[in-house]
Amino acid sequence: MEEGSQNSEELLENEDNDLENECEQMLEIEGNDHENDGDNTAITDGQNDLSQGKDYPPPVVGMEFESYDDAYNYYNCYAKELGFAIRVKSSWTKRNSKEKRGAVLCCNCEGFKTIKEANSRRKETRTGCLAMIRLRLVESNRWRVDEVKLEHNHLFDPERAQNSKSHKKMDAGAKRKVEPTLDVEVRTIKLYRTPVVDSTGYGSSNSNEREINNHVDQSKRLKLKKGYAQVIYNYFCRAQLTNPNFFYLMDLNDEGHLRNVFWIDSRSRAAYGYFGDVVAFDTTCLSNKYEIPLLAFVGVNHHGRSVLLGCGLLADEILETYIWLFRAWLTCMSGRPPQTIITDQCKALQSAIAEVFPRAHHRLCLSHVMQSILENLGELQESEAFQMVLNGIVYDSLKVDEFETAWEDMIQRFGVRDCVWLQTLYEDRERWAPVYAKDFFFAGMSTFQQGEAMSPFFDGYVHRQTSLKEFFDMYELVLQKKHQKEALDDFESRDSIPTLRTRCYYELQLSKVYTREIFKKFQDEVEMMSSCFSMAQVHANGPIVTYMVKEHEAEGSLREVRNYEVTYDKAGVEIRCICSCFNFKGYLCRHALCILNYSGVEEIPYQYILSRWRKDLKRLYVPDLGSNNVDITNPVQWFEHLYRRAMQVVEEGMISQDHYMVAWQAFKESLNKVRLVADKHV
């Protein structure tokens, strides 16, 4: 019944595509003279610089009310204090029932006139405002706010709002202050966005207050040299002028000092839509105590190269800080978490991920784990015998019992049974040992082969002594080089014809599909099919057959033979190898290819050719256009709509030289036509 109810809710909702698809919360600093009780999350409009109502705090996700009427009255009172009116945009009920299950309350400036209404003489009041709250019935008598948009694109008019329908019908009972109850998870975080930052770097413009706050624990503020906060803020201001979808947040502590910073550009937000399945949190600068306390959100693009998905500067590495950062990042990604998250070893980081991304698969970076094992075992780090045994256990174990038995033999042989640190790491083995991760997708990001290691995103640009000013001076240059490299990879993938190494049709098939770098890796697997010399059926259950594939492991006269178990479902054309290459790297292994070939399958099944590796998939790093319903009488709408359309032409024009020439000619013709219109009005 609940599942049917959910489907019914989706059918009954009547929301615009742009509201559903673009969940952008603009979050800013609480006013300096606004009292902060330290308990509520302050989330306010980042563009309108308004003082908050004294009686009604801004809505936040997690607010709960005893009834729908209480929720409506609260939002209505909050709106009245600020100077806007509300209306019910949509609501939905339980299937075959009149019981209300949810609703969207929006600003009454939401939407635009219809074509018929646009021809009337009635004054236009709608501006396409996106401010809203979404309410859902979470229990029989509790209503919860599960989405909030606070940003308005218009000035407030308290006098006109006073005469609106929503405020006129407000009776004495509705005018009372409605006290929402905040969920615990909402109270743990404070999100701010600051319009003014003091050049001293502490976020306060009052010199007397600054002297008093010198006694505040320095660990609760971002450690910045004089003038560096202004450097950060100046960069953000410049970025917003050239990048309309650029987003940043500044987190202040209770004394008004800058603690944490988060920012993300429009390209990164768009890239997440293509490459957000696996995300690594690059904490190189934090763990190695660099001068810059930088954390980077990193994905892997269609060429197998790292792509930036956001950045943060952190005052400390405690649970509350990570929760603030992750929730800020998740808000920018429309609330859609990654499937798999990779981090280094940090308990606070681990706890924050469990709270903010409870459904994601959290894994530890294997290269970091292996390095830490050697660093914490003293003299054994110089032992080649120990390293060889350790690598064999971690990288070569195909089954869980094989790994655990070999680990027990290792600690007995090398006398490290009493090492508490190693025992603790072993207890957490499901987060880092490859043998426990075979059901999760990693897109080649997690290094499950000996000798592999993930390079930090800013490797070669940011060093231990790099200052914050130097970082922001080079930041755009680094991103530009990364973008140029991706464009070059796109060009080479489209226009170059790879040289085939074998006569296997699988190689020819994917040479036309995969990007150049991914095809090279797949080509290695095709070439290594020759090392597999025996395919024997060991079990059958209807159409599902299990084979044992024998492979020579090394070159030489006395080559070691390894057995790999491959399960093939003939009916569903599904195949799985015990080495789990497809989940780890995103393409089929040589063992699976041998069984497909042995079974007479002429082409690799489509489900094993991931779109994230395809060279023919168009990827436009521009914001989602959403609705085309633009109010032609509203100048506020013109720039954003024209800019987004122009950026589409730019992205398409970079595909090839022919595309570029067509796009350039179109721009010249368009400019001439626009100028002709201007000349007619002179």
Side-chain angles (χ1 to χ4, degrees):
M1 185 63 188
E2 185 65 25
E3 182 178 355
S5 173
Q6 182 68 25
N7 294 335
S8 176
E9 293 172 15
E10 294 175 358
L11 291 173
L12 288 171
E13 285 189 345
N14 184 30
E15 300 206 38
D16 297 333
N17 290 334
D18 57 331
L19 186 61
E20 286 292 326
N21 295 333
E22 187 71 11
C23 177
E24 296 181 29
Q25 280 185 331
M26 300 303 292
L27 312 169
E28 76 152 21
I29 181 178
E30 197 176 30
N32 286 339
D33 48 3
H34 175 72
E35 184 176 352
N36 178 18
D37 57 28
D39 196 32
N40 292 339
T41 303
I43 305 183
T44 61
D45 175 18
Q47 302 297 324
N48 293 309
D49 195 21
L50 300 163
S51 60
Q52 297 305 310
K54 295 180 180 178
D55 294 324
Y56 298 92
V60 294
V61 174
M63 279 184 169
E64 293 183 357
F65 303 86
E66 294 182 356
S67 68
Y68 169 77
D69 288 340
D70 279 348
Y72 179 93
N73 290 337
Y74 154 74
Y75 194 51
N76 202 20
C77 292
Y78 163 76
K80 185 176 181 181
E81 279 195 346
L82 263 65
F84 70 96
I86 69 169
R87 59 184 169 86
V88 180
K89 181 180 182 181
S90 62
S91 64
W92 53 98
T93 60
K94 197 171 184 179
R95 179 175 289 180
N96 301 324
S97 171
K98 294 183 179 180
E99 179 187 359
K100 186 173 291 188
R101 300 277 296 175
V104 173
L105 309 181
C106 67
C107 172
N108 68 348
C109 290
E110 184 272 341
F112 303 99
K113 279 185 177 181
T114 62
I115 296 177
K116 292 182 179 180
E117 292 173 335
N119 295 326
S120 69
R121 295 183 179 179
R122 187 176 178 182
K123 183 180 179 182
E124 173 63 284
T125 59
R126 296 195 180 189
T127 64
C129 182
L130 296 181
M132 51 77 76
I133 64 170
R134 182 193 296 271
L135 301 165
R136 284 191 187 275
L137 183 65
V138 292
E139 289 185 6
S140 59
N141 61 347
R142 285 195 303 117
W143 284 78
R144 180 184 171 102
V145 176
D146 67 358
E147 184 179 349
V148 175
K149 291 188 179 181
L150 293 168
E151 185 185 18
H152 295 262
N153 64 358
H154 56 89
L155 297 176
F156 291 154
D157 187 346
E159 185 175 348
R160 187 173 67 82
Q162 187 74 24
N163 297 321
S164 67
K165 291 181 180 179
S166 66
H167 297 326
K168 276 185 175 180
K169 70 180 183 180
M170 193 185 296
D171 56 22
K175 288 182 180 179
R176 76 184 189 277
K177 179 181 177 182
V178 183
E179 291 287 358
T181 59
L182 284 179
D183 195 296
V184 174
E185 69 176 6
V186 177
R187 282 200 293 267
T188 61
I189 178 176
K190 296 176 182 178
L191 297 182
Y192 301 93
R193 186 177 185 180
T194 178
V196 179
V197 181
D198 176 50
S199 60
T200 60
Y202 299 123
S204 172
S205 59
N206 187 306
S207 59
N208 292 330
E209 181 182 344
R210 195 155 57 240
E211 291 176 7
I212 296 173
N213 287 332
N214 283 336
H215 301 288
V216 177
D217 185 359
Q218 294 290 327
S219 66
K220 294 183 178 180
R221 63 173 65 166
L222 196 59
K223 297 178 178 63
L224 300 176
K225 295 180 180 179
K226 184 176 181 180
Y228 277 10
Q230 194 66 45
V231 169
I232 298 172
Y233 182 65
N234 289 344
Y235 170 76
F236 290 164
C237 289
R238 291 196 305 272
Q240 286 189 316
L241 289 174
T242 58
N243 193 333
N245 214 29
F246 183 89
F247 182 87
Y248 74 93
L249 293 172
M250 289 185 174
D251 175 30
L252 307 185
N253 61 20
D254 293 340
E255 289 76 30
H257 298 134
L258 185 60
R259 293 194 70 245
N260 306 300
V261 181
F262 167 75
W263 72 94
I264 185 172
D265 59 38
S266 61
R267 184 185 176 97
S268 295
R269 299 175 76 177
Y272 183 78
Y274 302 114
F275 313 121
D277 45 7
V278 184
V279 175
F281 297 149
D282 183 356
T283 57
T284 303
C285 295
L286 295 176
S287 57
N288 293 325
K289 305 302 180 184
Y290 281 29
E291 184 172 331
I292 306 175
L294 176 71
L295 182 146
F297 298 81
V298 181
V300 59
N301 69 7
H302 49 306
H303 301 289
R305 305 190 193 280
S306 59
V307 57
L308 190 64
L309 302 175
C311 286
L313 299 174
L314 307 183
D316 48 40
E317 299 175 64
I318 62 174
L319 176 62
E320 182 183 4
T321 296
Y322 283 127
I323 289 178
W324 177 88
L325 181 69
F326 293 159
R327 284 185 175 161
W329 180 76
L330 189 61
T331 298
C332 293
M333 301 309 185
S334 301
R336 183 169 64 89
Q339 299 173 23
T340 303
I341 296 172
I342 302 172
T343 72
D344 61 4
Q345 297 165 267
C346 173
K347 291 299 182 183
L349 197 59
Q350 183 173 323
S351 299
I353 289 172
E355 179 164 342
V356 183
F357 309 105
R359 297 182 181 178
H361 306 302
H362 178 208
R363 311 294 300 180
L364 302 180
C365 178
L366 183 56
S367 59
H368 290 173
V369 171
M370 296 296 283
Q371 182 180 353
S372 66
I373 291 176
L374 297 177
E375 290 176 351
N376 282 275
L377 290 182
E379 66 278 0
L380 284 180
Q381 62 181 299
E382 303 297 333
S383 170
E384 292 185 6
F386 175 76
Q387 292 185 32
M388 185 177 299
V389 171
L390 177 64
N391 289 334
I393 295 171
V394 174
Y395 294 109
D396 297 335
S397 294
L398 294 177
K399 296 182 179 180
V400 170
D401 56 353
E402 179 184 341
F403 172 86
E404 294 179 348
T405 300
W407 185 275
E408 176 66 24
D409 292 342
M410 180 190 71
I411 62 175
Q412 179 69 27
R413 173 183 171 184
F414 292 97
V416 290
R417 181 177 299 279
D418 296 332
C419 179
V420 177
W421 180 89
L422 192 62
Q423 179 61 31
T424 302
L425 182 68
Y426 178 73
E427 291 172 357
D428 202 26
R429 61 193 179 279
E430 293 186 9
R431 292 193 182 276
W432 56 268
V435 73
Y436 296 95
K438 294 186 175 182
D439 293 328
F440 307 139
F441 183 68
F442 291 92
M445 183 175 290
S446 191
T447 53
F448 288 142
Q449 286 188 343
Q450 186 176 343
E452 292 183 340
M454 289 192 300
S455 297
F457 183 83
F458 292 101
D459 188 32
Y461 299 98
V462 177
H463 308 283
R464 196 179 300 272
Q465 303 302 323
T466 301
S467 69
L468 195 65
K469 185 179 184 305
E470 291 172 333
F471 171 73
F472 277 105
D473 286 342
M474 75 172 72
Y475 178 75
E476 287 292 341
L477 178 62
V478 174
L479 294 189
Q480 185 179 2
K481 288 185 176 180
K482 298 275 188 179
H483 300 164
Q484 288 175 346
K485 179 57 179 173
E486 183 173 314
L488 179 61
D489 287 339
D490 286 342
F491 175 78
E492 292 179 344
S493 293
R494 285 192 305 266
D495 293 3
S496 64
I497 301 175
T499 302
L500 302 183
R501 303 176 189 169
T502 72
R503 300 181 65 182
C504 179
Y505 183 74
Y506 300 149
E507 184 184 12
L508 175 62
Q509 177 191 1
L510 294 192
S511 69
K512 303 175 182 178
V513 178
Y514 280 162
T515 60
R516 187 166 174 261
E517 293 301 320
I518 300 303
F519 176 69
K520 286 181 179 179
K521 297 177 181 179
F522 172 75
Q523 199 173 31
D524 291 339
E525 292 296 326
V526 176
E527 200 169 20
M528 292 178 69
M529 288 173 65
S530 60
S531 64
C532 301
F533 63 92
S534 173
M535 282 73 71
Q537 179 177 323
V538 295
H539 183 265
N541 182 13
I544 302 176
V545 182
T546 301
Y547 295 90
M548 192 64 71
V549 177
K550 293 182 179 295
E551 180 185 17
H552 291 299
E553 286 288 288
E555 296 295 334
S557 57
L558 298 175
R559 292 185 293 179
E560 182 181 347
V561 175
R562 194 84 188 274
N563 295 325
Y564 291 87
E565 192 176 277
V566 182
T567 302
Y568 176 52
D569 181 355
K570 296 182 179 180
V573 196
E574 295 181 357
I575 194 163
R576 179 184 177 91
C577 179
I578 195 170
C579 77
S580 201
C581 176
F582 182 75
N583 279 346
F584 289 164
K585 301 181 180 180
Y587 48 82
L588 289 178
C589 63
R590 52 195 177 274
H591 319 112
L593 295 175
C594 283
I595 296 303
L596 288 177
N597 185 55
Y598 179 79
S599 302
V601 180
E602 295 182 354
E603 293 188 341
I604 293 178
Y606 71 91
Q607 65 265 37
Y608 297 108
I609 305 176
L610 301 181
S611 60
R612 70 167 353 273
W613 301 138
R614 297 183 70 100
K615 61 182 176 182
D616 58 354
L617 184 66
K618 292 184 178 179
R619 298 172 176 88
L620 300 179
Y621 296 118
V622 293
D624 189 2
L625 287 174
S627 173
N628 287 322
N629 187 13
V630 178
D631 178 12
I632 61 173
T633 66
N634 186 353
V636 176
Q637 306 288 321
W638 299 347
F639 171 80
E640 186 174 18
H641 188 255
L642 290 175
Y643 174 82
R644 290 180 176 182
R645 285 298 183 190
M647 285 305 298
Q648 273 195 309
V649 179
V650 171
E651 291 285 348
E652 294 275 1
M654 294 176 62
I655 292 177
S656 69
Q657 185 176 358
D658 290 339
H659 284 77
Y660 164 77
M661 294 303 297
V662 171
W664 170 232
Q665 188 64 32
F667 274 135
K668 288 196 296 183
E669 292 175 359
S670 299
L671 183 59
N672 289 333
K673 290 179 180 179
V674 171
R675 285 173 175 171
L676 285 174
V677 173
D679 292 342
K680 291 179 181 179
H681 291 84
V682 174

